[in-house]
Amino acid sequence: MKILGFDHVQLAMPKGRETEARAFYVSLLGLTELQKPPELVGRGGAWFQCGALQLHLGVEAEFRPAKKAHPALRVEGLEDLVASLRSAGFQAEDDTSVPEIRRAFTEDLCLAIA
């Protein structure tokens, strides 16, 4: 047996907030939305793709935002993204905890993103 890589990452989201998720992940971050298989559409949530990795947001009835779990996105033009996030009303905080890596954090409707 050999693990070949990750297929997708699944994160929880609150029910009925798919429009906000699309605005954040597609309109703001530029990810591509994927069509869910017909048998899964009724569950809510949304799927997105960046390169080979998929991010699945699944509805959780007793949703509580994750504070540690997060996707960490590699970005070209981090300063531009931080400015876009702030212009859209999101907080974006610089992080210097790993000096050799330029990082910033923001939060969407689901979680913190590094």
Side-chain angles (χ1 to χ4, degrees):
M1 193 278 300
K2 177 180 170 185
I3 300 211
L4 302 176
F6 287 99
D7 178 71
H8 70 274
V9 173
Q10 169 96 22
L11 300 171
M13 68 172 286
K15 182 178 180 177
R17 310 258 316 259
E18 289 81 1
T19 300
E20 292 171 67
R22 288 180 183 100
F24 186 83
Y25 286 100
V26 176
S27 299
L28 193 55
L29 297 185
L31 275 62
T32 301
E33 183 172 7
L34 300 172
Q35 294 300 312
K36 293 176 67 173
E39 56 272 16
L40 299 180
V41 171
R43 296 182 184 180
W47 291 6
F48 305 98
Q49 186 161 3
C50 179
L53 187 63
Q54 294 184 19
L55 174 64
H56 295 183
L57 299 182
V59 171
E60 189 171 284
E62 301 290 323
F63 175 76
R64 289 190 331 242
K67 293 298 179 186
K68 289 286 187 180
H70 62 270
L73 307 173
R74 290 193 180 268
V75 175
E76 183 177 290
L78 182 60
E79 290 78 14
D80 292 337
L81 176 58
V82 167
S84 294
L85 288 164
R86 289 177 178 156
S87 292
F90 292 92
Q91 287 187 326
E93 304 298 327
D94 289 325
D95 176 64
T96 58
S97 61
V98 183
E100 61 274 7
I101 301 173
R102 170 80 169 88
R103 302 181 346 156
F105 288 91
T106 191
E107 292 186 13
D108 74 342
L109 66 133
C110 301
L111 46 89
I113 297 177

